Amino acid sequence: MRVEIWSDIACPWCYVGKARFEKALAAFPHRDDVEVVHRSFELDPGRAKGDVQPVLTMLTRKYGMSEAQAQAGEDNLGAQAAAEGLDYRTRGRDHGSTFDMHRLLHFAKGRGKQDELLQILYRANFAEERSVYTEGDERLVELAAEAGLDAEAARAVLADPAAHADEVRADEREAAELGATGVPFFVLDRAYGVSGAQPAEVFTQALTQAWGERSPLKPVGQGTAEACGPDGCAVPQY
């Protein structure tokens, strides 16, 4: 079974939702037969690379809330993250473009390191004092190397604006086609969708239901034909 997760590194509920989903997946009896694929979604796709501002400023301008309301929301998110065993800085975080991070995640996917890099990017964005937006490409190269990727290869990806850009845009178009207007958005075997950072129990229910309703293969053709198997290949008789 395949689970596709559309998310953004700047999305705190994606950070929390990933932990809740993984809690459900860890207890799922068929977890070893579940493939998890992370898909790109930018909450702020039009933001320029150098346009960085404090999270509270972004929240007050984008949603028209007061600074006190924005801070209360951050405090609530901090409590939700802590309940999942996650660190979360409720003061002093900043916000910027995540497009290059998504490009790196597609690069990491091809090398089997996508999930590791995503978790490191989440931690860096939500829990660490150093910004992932203001220190330039070298900060992202450092995080890519921590995930086990070759630093020079990661640097080359970041230096080429076209590298993996099409994959990011394709993910975002597909999210729109599936009806996703926000993230996290979980799609199970292209049959079930789960929106938001639901409790682990909801993910358990979704996994169980999707697994139980998988369609078995329907054979086409009559009889049997020659084939190869563990015991060798059938030899035609003349």
Side-chain angles (χ1 to χ4, degrees):
M1 184 167 69
R2 169 180 281 201
V3 179
E4 298 163 276
I5 307 173
W6 273 264
S7 60
D8 191 12
I9 299 91
C11 165
W13 287 118
C14 296
Y15 180 46
V16 173
K18 183 175 187 290
R20 291 175 177 173
F21 170 76
E22 288 175 348
K23 183 182 295 183
L25 183 61
F28 186 56
H30 308 287
R31 61 186 178 276
D32 292 337
D33 296 309
V34 177
E35 177 192 12
V36 179
V37 178
H38 297 287
R39 302 289 193 191
S40 298
F41 190 105
E42 292 173 275
L43 291 174
D44 205 349
R47 183 175 289 272
K49 184 174 181 177
D51 184 5
V52 181
Q53 61 186 167
V55 165
L56 292 188
T57 300
M58 179 274 293
L59 292 173
T60 56
R61 292 179 179 175
K62 188 172 184 177
Y63 301 107
M65 60 178 65
S66 69
E67 187 168 320
Q69 290 173 320
Q71 187 58 67
E74 282 292 284
D75 291 340
N76 175 57
L77 279 162
Q80 298 275 352
E84 304 302 328
L86 302 172
D87 293 328
Y88 189 99
R89 292 179 64 227
T90 60
R91 303 290 192 278
R93 290 195 306 108
D94 56 8
H95 175 81
S97 171
T98 57
F99 185 62
D100 282 349
M101 298 181 215
H102 284 295
R103 294 197 300 115
L104 267 184
L105 285 166
H106 275 280
F107 165 70
K109 178 184 176 183
R111 286 153 178 77
K113 295 290 184 180
Q114 188 185 49
D115 187 73
E116 290 90 338
L117 179 59
L118 180 60
Q119 193 60 39
I120 286 169
L121 289 171
Y122 276 144
R123 186 204 68 211
N125 185 49
F126 292 110
E128 297 182 357
E129 290 188 15
R130 293 177 61 191
S131 173
V132 294
Y133 305 107
T134 61
E135 294 192 23
D137 290 351
E138 285 307 305
R139 173 65 169 143
L140 298 184
V141 169
E142 175 187 316
L143 295 172
E146 184 180 340
L149 295 164
D150 180 77
E152 287 303 318
R155 187 175 289 110
V157 168
L158 292 169
D160 178 4
H164 301 287
D166 288 345
E167 291 99 315
V168 176
R169 297 305 183 211
D171 278 357
E172 293 174 338
R173 286 194 300 271
E174 196 165 10
E177 291 166 1
L178 290 170
T181 57
V183 284
F185 185 62
F186 302 77
V187 177
L188 291 77
D189 261 359
R190 292 298 171 108
Y192 293 92
V194 179
S195 182
Q198 299 283 353
E201 294 77 13
V202 173
F203 290 120
T204 297
Q205 178 185 353
L207 287 165
T208 301
Q209 188 168 347
W211 182 269
E213 296 184 13
R214 290 175 305 136
S215 298
L217 291 175
K218 297 177 181 179
V220 176
Q222 300 296 323
T224 59
E226 289 81 4
C228 294
D231 297 325
C233 298
V235 177
Q237 301 296 316
Y238 298 100

